Amino acid sequence: MIKFSWGNLLVLLPLLIFAACSYKLGYPEAGEGLFHLRVRNDSMAPILGAKVDRELRKKILKNGTFILVQNQEDADVSIMVTLSNYTDSTEAYRPEDSLLAAGLNLGISAKIELRDQNGDIFLDKQVRANASVLRSESTRLPEESSSLHAMAEDLASEIHFSILNQSW
């Protein structure tokens, strides 16, 4: 007959719980190797290319799943992001003034291309991000810098998740 002891149970219970749990914190494992990132801005928002590049690099470095290199020759995979189709459309008008827009909706598209060392494309995807900006007074121009930053963060997140969800 096996003797049951509370002391043995207290020792074995945490071991069984932690051994059975396979949960892993963080992002899923992505491709291994060296990556070269290049952001090209073909849109009409000149500052947006640098903002998206910086935000995307921050997300990649914070995640830690990719190693970025400076030279494309050293990279196993090349990530090319092309920004295009910057739009600003009227979102709201003030009741007393129907000529000037009180709010604008800003939008940008990005084409993501992942290429291997041979130059073959294995991911070609289009993503889009939007942000809104409001005029504080009818006599002032809207402050677009915070909206451009928010749009760059949103676009960088979309690009980052598209790369992470790629099956390597």
Side-chain angles (χ1 to χ4, degrees), residues 52-104:
V52 170
D53 185 51
R54 185 183 66 234
E55 292 300 320
L56 186 54
R57 287 180 188 273
K58 279 180 10 184
K59 290 191 180 301
I60 289 172
L61 291 174
K62 183 178 178 182
N63 181 304
T65 53
F66 304 119
I67 299 172
L68 294 176
V69 294
Q70 292 293 329
N71 297 330
Q72 189 169 359
E73 295 82 27
D74 299 337
D76 298 325
V77 176
S78 177
I79 305 168
M80 177 67 173
V81 178
T82 306
L83 304 179
S84 62
N85 298 330
Y86 174 73
T87 58
D88 57 346
S89 58
T90 304
E91 196 168 56
Y93 288 101
R94 292 190 186 278
E96 65 273 0
D97 185 5
S98 61
L99 289 178
L100 293 175
L104 297 172

Side-chain angles (χ1 to χ4, degrees), residues 5 11-12 20 61 121 141-142 148:
S5 162
V11 170
L12 291 177
L61 291 174
I121 297 174
L141 290 173
L148 286 176

Side-chain angles (χ1 to χ4, degrees), residues 3-157:
K3 284 189 164 186
F4 179 72
S5 162
W6 287 104
N8 291 342
L9 182 65
L10 290 176
V11 170
L12 291 177
L13 186 63
L15 290 175
L16 291 174
I17 289 174
F18 289 119
C21 182
S22 64
Y23 181 74
K24 186 175 180 183
L25 292 175
Y27 291 98
E29 290 294 323
E32 294 183 15
L34 305 174
F35 292 80
H36 177 260
L37 173 65
R38 184 168 167 227
V39 176
R40 188 172 82 199
N41 189 3
D42 290 345
S43 73
M44 296 299 288
I47 198 169
L48 197 56
K51 286 181 179 278
V52 170
D53 185 51
R54 185 183 66 234
E55 292 300 320
L56 186 54
R57 287 180 188 273
K58 279 180 10 184
K59 290 191 180 301
I60 289 172
L61 291 174
K62 183 178 178 182
N63 181 304
T65 53
F66 304 119
I67 299 172
L68 294 176
V69 294
Q70 292 293 329
N71 297 330
Q72 189 169 359
E73 295 82 27
D74 299 337
D76 298 325
V77 176
S78 177
I79 305 168
M80 177 67 173
V81 178
T82 306
L83 304 179
S84 62
N85 298 330
Y86 174 73
T87 58
D88 57 346
S89 58
T90 304
E91 196 168 56
Y93 288 101
R94 292 190 186 278
E96 65 273 0
D97 185 5
S98 61
L99 289 178
L100 293 175
L104 297 172
N105 184 9
L106 308 177
I108 188 79
S109 294
K111 181 180 179 183
I112 309 164
E113 287 182 353
L114 292 181
R115 296 178 182 260
D116 60 10
Q117 287 179 329
N118 300 329
D120 298 330
I121 297 174
F122 60 93
L123 174 68
D124 188 3
K125 186 175 183 180
Q126 193 88 10
V127 294
R128 184 149 179 81
N130 292 308
S132 294
V133 60
L134 292 174
R135 227 182 253 262
S136 58
E137 298 175 18
S138 63
T139 58
R140 302 180 104 186
L141 290 173
E143 192 64 39
E144 288 188 25
S145 62
S146 60
S147 296
L148 286 176
H149 186 72
M151 191 166 46
E153 284 180 343
D154 186 29
L155 191 61
S157 292

